[in-house]
Amino acid sequence: KAGVTQTPRYLIKTRGQQVTLSCSPISGHRSVSWYQQTPGQGLQFLFEYFSETQRNKGNFPGRFSGRQFSNSRSEMNVSTLELGDSALYLCASSSGGQTYNEQFFGPGTRLTVL
Amino acid sequence: GEDVEQSLFLSVREGDSSVINCTYTDSSSTYLYWYKQEPGAGLQLLTYIFSNMDMKQDQRLTVLLNKKDKHLSLRIADTQTGDSAIYFCADVTGTASKLTFGTGTRLQVTL
């Protein structure tokens, strides 16, 4: 099985712009979760999409949004970029079960905001 | 909210055992994970343990869970230079897809 893919791998934007990141989960997986990793705050949960619906949400401002398509691919959007949004954005895919379900992470998209 | 803590750095000599520790605050954790992150890479799942277990062994890896003290540890036997990475513990409370990660422990393996 192919792993989780994220595009692009690297992105440079300026303050005030918006950005869209993409995540393709492992075939057959219906859940995609997004995490932000920064040196100061560590790894923080952004949100999870399951069957095209947002199922869980972390404590991030409304500038961070996402969606999931019928093929389970997910996109994450950040509007009005701030310097503090510079981070590694990781997505994880899983079967989406409500008990134990192993999450497989992609390589991440490194976003730099200038 | 839930808090997961780890020491920041550990240095061991090649061939020795490494023990990475983690403490968590939420007693309703259902299971806990250990992930490894190498430079420039995503997270690789190493192992996990259910909250009703005390110990789990998987080849060179041994996980110990003390629920009373809310303490989790990962022991790596015969540590190799390829084990140099950042190790994260993560716990799950409630929904299975939301992980709360620790701060990460950077393991340095010296010759």
Side-chain angles (χ1 to χ4, degrees), chain B residues 54-76:
Chain B
D54 299 322
M55 185 184 89
K56 181 180 180 183
Q57 188 147 4
D58 188 355
Q59 300 184 329
R60 291 191 299 125
L61 306 178
T62 302
V63 180
L64 295 178
L65 176 60
N66 181 327
K67 282 197 72 175
K68 177 173 165 289
D69 294 337
K70 300 192 189 68
H71 182 266
L72 179 75
S73 67
L74 173 70
R75 178 178 179 269
I76 306 173

PDB file of all heavy atoms in Angstrom, chain B residues 54-76:
ATOM      1  N   ASP B  54       0.249  -3.563  31.731  1.00  0.00           N
ATOM      2  CA  ASP B  54       1.364  -2.999  32.501  1.00  0.00           C
ATOM      3  C   ASP B  54       2.634  -2.952  31.675  1.00  0.00           C
ATOM      4  O   ASP B  54       3.498  -2.104  31.909  1.00  0.00           O
ATOM      5  CB  ASP B  54       1.656  -3.859  33.733  1.00  0.00           C
ATOM      6  CG  ASP B  54       0.473  -3.925  34.669  1.00  0.00           C
ATOM      7  OD1 ASP B  54      -0.208  -2.893  34.826  1.00  0.00           O
ATOM      8  OD2 ASP B  54       0.238  -5.004  35.250  1.00  0.00           O
ATOM      9  N   MET B  55       2.766  -3.896  30.750  1.00  0.00           N
ATOM     10  CA  MET B  55       4.006  -4.003  30.007  1.00  0.00           C
ATOM     11  C   MET B  55       3.709  -4.569  28.613  1.00  0.00           C
ATOM     12  O   MET B  55       2.787  -5.361  28.424  1.00  0.00           O
ATOM     13  CB  MET B  55       4.979  -4.942  30.729  1.00  0.00           C
ATOM     14  CG  MET B  55       6.349  -5.014  30.087  1.00  0.00           C
ATOM     15  SD  MET B  55       7.432  -6.213  30.891  1.00  0.00           S
ATOM     16  CE  MET B  55       7.024  -7.675  29.973  1.00  0.00           C
ATOM     17  N   LYS B  56       4.530  -4.140  27.679  1.00  0.00           N
ATOM     18  CA  LYS B  56       4.452  -4.712  26.333  1.00  0.00           C
ATOM     19  C   LYS B  56       5.864  -4.768  25.778  1.00  0.00           C
ATOM     20  O   LYS B  56       6.618  -3.805  25.875  1.00  0.00           O
ATOM     21  CB  LYS B  56       3.557  -3.856  25.433  1.00  0.00           C
ATOM     22  CG  LYS B  56       3.428  -4.418  24.033  1.00  0.00           C
ATOM     23  CD  LYS B  56       2.535  -3.562  23.173  1.00  0.00           C
ATOM     24  CE  LYS B  56       2.429  -4.162  21.787  1.00  0.00           C
ATOM     25  NZ  LYS B  56       1.629  -3.328  20.877  1.00  0.00           N
ATOM     26  N   GLN B  57       6.209  -5.923  25.200  1.00  0.00           N
ATOM     27  CA  GLN B  57       7.553  -6.061  24.620  1.00  0.00           C
ATOM     28  C   GLN B  57       7.415  -6.311  23.133  1.00  0.00           C
ATOM     29  O   GLN B  57       6.561  -7.080  22.687  1.00  0.00           O
ATOM     30  CB  GLN B  57       8.290  -7.225  25.285  1.00  0.00           C
ATOM     31  CG  GLN B  57       9.741  -7.320  24.883  1.00  0.00           C
ATOM     32  CD  GLN B  57      10.628  -7.835  25.992  1.00  0.00           C
ATOM     33  OE1 GLN B  57      10.156  -8.200  27.069  1.00  0.00           O
ATOM     34  NE2 GLN B  57      11.915  -7.877  25.735  1.00  0.00           N
ATOM     35  N   ASP B  58       8.271  -5.645  22.368  1.00  0.00           N
ATOM     36  CA  ASP B  58       8.242  -5.774  20.917  1.00  0.00           C
ATOM     37  C   ASP B  58       9.667  -5.679  20.430  1.00  0.00           C
ATOM     38  O   ASP B  58      10.202  -4.600  20.236  1.00  0.00           O
ATOM     39  CB  ASP B  58       7.375  -4.656  20.323  1.00  0.00           C
ATOM     40  CG  ASP B  58       7.134  -4.830  18.839  1.00  0.00           C
ATOM     41  OD1 ASP B  58       7.714  -5.752  18.234  1.00  0.00           O
ATOM     42  OD2 ASP B  58       6.359  -4.023  18.270  1.00  0.00           O
ATOM     43  N   GLN B  59      10.309  -6.836  20.257  1.00  0.00           N
ATOM     44  CA  GLN B  59      11.710  -6.921  19.846  1.00  0.00           C
ATOM     45  C   GLN B  59      12.588  -6.120  20.806  1.00  0.00           C
ATOM     46  O   GLN B  59      12.653  -6.449  21.983  1.00  0.00           O
ATOM     47  CB  GLN B  59      11.861  -6.487  18.385  1.00  0.00           C
ATOM     48  CG  GLN B  59      11.036  -7.368  17.445  1.00  0.00           C
ATOM     49  CD  GLN B  59      11.225  -7.027  15.987  1.00  0.00           C
ATOM     50  OE1 GLN B  59      11.477  -5.889  15.618  1.00  0.00           O
ATOM     51  NE2 GLN B  59      11.113  -8.032  15.137  1.00  0.00           N
ATOM     52  N   ARG B  60      13.270  -5.079  20.353  1.00  0.00           N
ATOM     53  CA  ARG B  60      14.168  -4.333  21.248  1.00  0.00           C
ATOM     54  C   ARG B  60      13.431  -3.337  22.136  1.00  0.00           C
ATOM     55  O   ARG B  60      14.034  -2.703  22.994  1.00  0.00           O
ATOM     56  CB  ARG B  60      15.225  -3.581  20.422  1.00  0.00           C
ATOM     57  CG  ARG B  60      16.252  -4.480  19.735  1.00  0.00           C
ATOM     58  CD  ARG B  60      17.413  -3.658  19.172  1.00  0.00           C
ATOM     59  NE  ARG B  60      16.990  -2.685  18.176  1.00  0.00           N
ATOM     60  CZ  ARG B  60      17.258  -1.387  18.244  1.00  0.00           C
ATOM     61  NH1 ARG B  60      17.932  -0.880  19.284  1.00  0.00           N
ATOM     62  NH2 ARG B  60      16.847  -0.567  17.284  1.00  0.00           N
ATOM     63  N   LEU B  61      12.141  -3.185  21.923  1.00  0.00           N
ATOM     64  CA  LEU B  61      11.380  -2.172  22.640  1.00  0.00           C
ATOM     65  C   LEU B  61      10.565  -2.787  23.777  1.00  0.00           C
ATOM     66  O   LEU B  61       9.905  -3.813  23.590  1.00  0.00           O
ATOM     67  CB  LEU B  61      10.424  -1.453  21.693  1.00  0.00           C
ATOM     68  CG  LEU B  61      11.015  -0.840  20.433  1.00  0.00           C
ATOM     69  CD1 LEU B  61       9.914  -0.209  19.590  1.00  0.00           C
ATOM     70  CD2 LEU B  61      12.069   0.188  20.779  1.00  0.00           C
ATOM     71  N   THR B  62      10.606  -2.161  24.935  1.00  0.00           N
ATOM     72  CA  THR B  62       9.777  -2.556  26.061  1.00  0.00           C
ATOM     73  C   THR B  62       9.059  -1.318  26.584  1.00  0.00           C
ATOM     74  O   THR B  62       9.700  -0.302  26.861  1.00  0.00           O
ATOM     75  CB  THR B  62      10.606  -3.168  27.209  1.00  0.00           C
ATOM     76  OG1 THR B  62      11.333  -4.286  26.721  1.00  0.00           O
ATOM     77  CG2 THR B  62       9.699  -3.614  28.361  1.00  0.00           C
ATOM     78  N   VAL B  63       7.746  -1.410  26.675  1.00  0.00           N
ATOM     79  CA  VAL B  63       6.955  -0.310  27.200  1.00  0.00           C
ATOM     80  C   VAL B  63       6.435  -0.711  28.576  1.00  0.00           C
ATOM     81  O   VAL B  63       5.898  -1.801  28.745  1.00  0.00           O
ATOM     82  CB  VAL B  63       5.766   0.015  26.273  1.00  0.00           C
ATOM     83  CG1 VAL B  63       4.947   1.164  26.848  1.00  0.00           C
ATOM     84  CG2 VAL B  63       6.257   0.360  24.879  1.00  0.00           C
ATOM     85  N   LEU B  64       6.600   0.183  29.543  1.00  0.00           N
ATOM     86  CA  LEU B  64       6.069  -0.029  30.884  1.00  0.00           C
ATOM     87  C   LEU B  64       5.056   1.064  31.189  1.00  0.00           C
ATOM     88  O   LEU B  64       5.299   2.245  30.887  1.00  0.00           O
ATOM     89  CB  LEU B  64       7.190   0.011  31.928  1.00  0.00           C
ATOM     90  CG  LEU B  64       8.237  -1.096  31.859  1.00  0.00           C
ATOM     91  CD1 LEU B  64       9.306  -0.875  32.923  1.00  0.00           C
ATOM     92  CD2 LEU B  64       7.609  -2.459  32.015  1.00  0.00           C
ATOM     93  N   LEU B  65       3.925   0.678  31.753  1.00  0.00           N
ATOM     94  CA  LEU B  65       2.888   1.634  32.097  1.00  0.00           C
ATOM     95  C   LEU B  65       2.529   1.498  33.571  1.00  0.00           C
ATOM     96  O   LEU B  65       2.165   0.416  34.035  1.00  0.00           O
ATOM     97  CB  LEU B  65       1.641   1.401  31.237  1.00  0.00           C
ATOM     98  CG  LEU B  65       0.422   2.263  31.554  1.00  0.00           C
ATOM     99  CD1 LEU B  65       0.739   3.742  31.384  1.00  0.00           C
ATOM    100  CD2 LEU B  65      -0.762   1.863  30.680  1.00  0.00           C
ATOM    101  N   ASN B  66       2.645   2.592  34.299  1.00  0.00           N
ATOM    102  CA  ASN B  66       2.235   2.648  35.707  1.00  0.00           C
ATOM    103  C   ASN B  66       1.047   3.604  35.768  1.00  0.00           C
ATOM    104  O   ASN B  66       1.203   4.822  35.765  1.00  0.00           O
ATOM    105  CB  ASN B  66       3.394   3.176  36.563  1.00  0.00           C
ATOM    106  CG  ASN B  66       3.048   3.231  38.048  1.00  0.00           C
ATOM    107  OD1 ASN B  66       1.897   3.470  38.416  1.00  0.00           O
ATOM    108  ND2 ASN B  66       4.032   3.010  38.881  1.00  0.00           N
ATOM    109  N   LYS B  67      -0.138   3.023  35.797  1.00  0.00           N
ATOM    110  CA  LYS B  67      -1.349   3.847  35.757  1.00  0.00           C
ATOM    111  C   LYS B  67      -1.534   4.664  37.025  1.00  0.00           C
ATOM    112  O   LYS B  67      -2.063   5.765  36.990  1.00  0.00           O
ATOM    113  CB  LYS B  67      -2.575   2.956  35.520  1.00  0.00           C
ATOM    114  CG  LYS B  67      -2.743   2.526  34.084  1.00  0.00           C
ATOM    115  CD  LYS B  67      -4.142   2.008  33.833  1.00  0.00           C
ATOM    116  CE  LYS B  67      -5.158   3.125  33.830  1.00  0.00           C
ATOM    117  NZ  LYS B  67      -6.504   2.619  33.470  1.00  0.00           N
ATOM    118  N   LYS B  68      -1.107   4.084  38.126  1.00  0.00           N
ATOM    119  CA  LYS B  68      -1.282   4.786  39.404  1.00  0.00           C
ATOM    120  C   LYS B  68      -0.520   6.108  39.397  1.00  0.00           C
ATOM    121  O   LYS B  68      -1.038   7.143  39.792  1.00  0.00           O
ATOM    122  CB  LYS B  68      -0.804   3.892  40.541  1.00  0.00           C
ATOM    123  CG  LYS B  68      -0.851   4.507  41.929  1.00  0.00           C
ATOM    124  CD  LYS B  68      -0.505   3.461  42.985  1.00  0.00           C
ATOM    125  CE  LYS B  68      -0.194   4.113  44.316  1.00  0.00           C
ATOM    126  NZ  LYS B  68       1.090   4.831  44.295  1.00  0.00           N
ATOM    127  N   ASP B  69       0.716   6.054  38.870  1.00  0.00           N
ATOM    128  CA  ASP B  69       1.544   7.250  38.824  1.00  0.00           C
ATOM    129  C   ASP B  69       1.412   8.001  37.506  1.00  0.00           C
ATOM    130  O   ASP B  69       2.064   9.028  37.307  1.00  0.00           O
ATOM    131  CB  ASP B  69       3.006   6.890  39.054  1.00  0.00           C
ATOM    132  CG  ASP B  69       3.260   6.349  40.448  1.00  0.00           C
ATOM    133  OD1 ASP B  69       2.448   6.657  41.351  1.00  0.00           O
ATOM    134  OD2 ASP B  69       4.244   5.611  40.641  1.00  0.00           O
ATOM    135  N   LYS B  70       0.616   7.473  36.583  1.00  0.00           N
ATOM    136  CA  LYS B  70       0.448   8.061  35.241  1.00  0.00           C
ATOM    137  C   LYS B  70       1.832   8.245  34.589  1.00  0.00           C
ATOM    138  O   LYS B  70       2.176   9.336  34.119  1.00  0.00           O
ATOM    139  CB  LYS B  70      -0.312   9.379  35.312  1.00  0.00           C
ATOM    140  CG  LYS B  70      -1.716   9.261  35.896  1.00  0.00           C
ATOM    141  CD  LYS B  70      -2.491  10.539  35.672  1.00  0.00           C
ATOM    142  CE  LYS B  70      -3.793  10.529  36.421  1.00  0.00           C
ATOM    143  NZ  LYS B  70      -3.664  10.573  37.878  1.00  0.00           N
ATOM    144  N   HIS B  71       2.586   7.176  34.573  1.00  0.00           N
ATOM    145  CA  HIS B  71       3.943   7.199  34.063  1.00  0.00           C
ATOM    146  C   HIS B  71       4.116   6.101  33.024  1.00  0.00           C
ATOM    147  O   HIS B  71       3.722   4.953  33.222  1.00  0.00           O
ATOM    148  CB  HIS B  71       4.932   6.996  35.217  1.00  0.00           C
ATOM    149  CG  HIS B  71       6.357   7.063  34.788  1.00  0.00           C
ATOM    150  ND1 HIS B  71       7.079   5.933  34.454  1.00  0.00           N
ATOM    151  CD2 HIS B  71       7.199   8.112  34.620  1.00  0.00           C
ATOM    152  CE1 HIS B  71       8.301   6.306  34.099  1.00  0.00           C
ATOM    153  NE2 HIS B  71       8.396   7.610  34.198  1.00  0.00           N
ATOM    154  N   LEU B  72       4.706   6.487  31.915  1.00  0.00           N
ATOM    155  CA  LEU B  72       4.951   5.586  30.786  1.00  0.00           C
ATOM    156  C   LEU B  72       6.436   5.646  30.455  1.00  0.00           C
ATOM    157  O   LEU B  72       7.036   6.735  30.525  1.00  0.00           O
ATOM    158  CB  LEU B  72       4.140   6.054  29.585  1.00  0.00           C
ATOM    159  CG  LEU B  72       4.248   5.290  28.277  1.00  0.00           C
ATOM    160  CD1 LEU B  72       3.485   3.977  28.370  1.00  0.00           C
ATOM    161  CD2 LEU B  72       3.667   6.136  27.131  1.00  0.00           C
ATOM    162  N   SER B  73       7.024   4.508  30.131  1.00  0.00           N
ATOM    163  CA  SER B  73       8.430   4.533  29.716  1.00  0.00           C
ATOM    164  C   SER B  73       8.632   3.641  28.504  1.00  0.00           C
ATOM    165  O   SER B  73       7.881   2.692  28.273  1.00  0.00           O
ATOM    166  CB  SER B  73       9.353   4.114  30.853  1.00  0.00           C
ATOM    167  OG  SER B  73       9.173   2.754  31.172  1.00  0.00           O
ATOM    168  N   LEU B  74       9.651   3.993  27.737  1.00  0.00           N
ATOM    169  CA  LEU B  74      10.056   3.212  26.568  1.00  0.00           C
ATOM    170  C   LEU B  74      11.515   2.850  26.759  1.00  0.00           C
ATOM    171  O   LEU B  74      12.360   3.734  26.900  1.00  0.00           O
ATOM    172  CB  LEU B  74       9.886   4.029  25.289  1.00  0.00           C
ATOM    173  CG  LEU B  74      10.430   3.377  24.004  1.00  0.00           C
ATOM    174  CD1 LEU B  74       9.568   2.181  23.609  1.00  0.00           C
ATOM    175  CD2 LEU B  74      10.495   4.393  22.855  1.00  0.00           C
ATOM    176  N   ARG B  75      11.786   1.541  26.785  1.00  0.00           N
ATOM    177  CA  ARG B  75      13.166   1.084  26.897  1.00  0.00           C
ATOM    178  C   ARG B  75      13.588   0.523  25.542  1.00  0.00           C
ATOM    179  O   ARG B  75      12.903  -0.305  24.965  1.00  0.00           O
ATOM    180  CB  ARG B  75      13.301   0.019  27.978  1.00  0.00           C
ATOM    181  CG  ARG B  75      14.705  -0.555  28.128  1.00  0.00           C
ATOM    182  CD  ARG B  75      14.757  -1.570  29.266  1.00  0.00           C
ATOM    183  NE  ARG B  75      16.085  -2.144  29.417  1.00  0.00           N
ATOM    184  CZ  ARG B  75      16.494  -3.248  28.811  1.00  0.00           C
ATOM    185  NH1 ARG B  75      15.688  -3.916  28.009  1.00  0.00           N
ATOM    186  NH2 ARG B  75      17.718  -3.699  29.005  1.00  0.00           N
ATOM    187  N   ILE B  76      14.731   0.998  25.059  1.00  0.00           N
ATOM    188  CA  ILE B  76      15.301   0.494  23.821  1.00  0.00           C
ATOM    189  C   ILE B  76      16.560  -0.277  24.193  1.00  0.00           C
ATOM    190  O   ILE B  76      17.516   0.306  24.717  1.00  0.00           O
ATOM    191  CB  ILE B  76      15.650   1.634  22.842  1.00  0.00           C
ATOM    192  CG1 ILE B  76      14.437   2.530  22.589  1.00  0.00           C
ATOM    193  CG2 ILE B  76      16.183   1.056  21.532  1.00  0.00           C
ATOM    194  CD1 ILE B  76      14.752   3.772  21.774  1.00  0.00           C
TER     195      ILE B  76
END
